[in-house]
Amino acid sequence: EAVAMGVPIISSGKGSLPEVVSGHLIVLDELSSQGIYTALEKAYNNEWVVTPINKFELKKSVQAYLKLYHELTSRKSNINN
């Protein structure tokens, strides 16, 4: 939601964040108080990394789910025949 609103992000870079965080961002060098301090200092100095914005549109998700459901139900029909 923050990316969609154009809000810059300071990210830990852990978990699934690398796949979803985009736009203006700073990724912590290390997950520590010093890492957070350094990231905040970069933000204060406007030292953002700018990446293309990742979009996760509902329409694409729905289409992918429908395709998956169709494939799964088709396989079940083929197994029974």
Side-chain angles (χ1 to χ4, degrees):
E1 289 86 2
V3 172
M5 294 187 308
V7 175
I9 306 250
I10 294 176
S11 171
S12 67
K14 305 294 182 199
S16 64
L17 290 173
E19 291 85 27
V20 296
V21 173
S22 60
H24 285 71
L25 63 108
I26 295 170
V27 178
L28 299 179
D29 294 328
E30 61 181 66
L31 193 53
S32 66
S33 56
Q34 181 60 46
I36 294 169
Y37 177 84
T38 301
L40 289 171
E41 204 170 38
K42 288 178 182 178
Y44 179 79
N45 292 318
N46 206 29
E47 297 174 13
W48 301 97
V49 173
V50 181
T51 64
I53 293 178
N54 295 329
K55 292 185 179 182
F56 301 93
E57 298 176 3
L58 183 59
K59 183 176 182 178
K60 286 184 180 180
S61 296
V62 169
Q63 288 171 342
Y65 278 118
L66 290 173
K67 180 181 176 192
L68 174 64
Y69 296 152
H70 177 73
E71 289 173 3
L72 292 173
T73 56
S74 294
R75 286 183 195 160
K76 187 175 181 182
S77 296
N78 291 336
I79 292 171
N80 293 331
N81 291 330

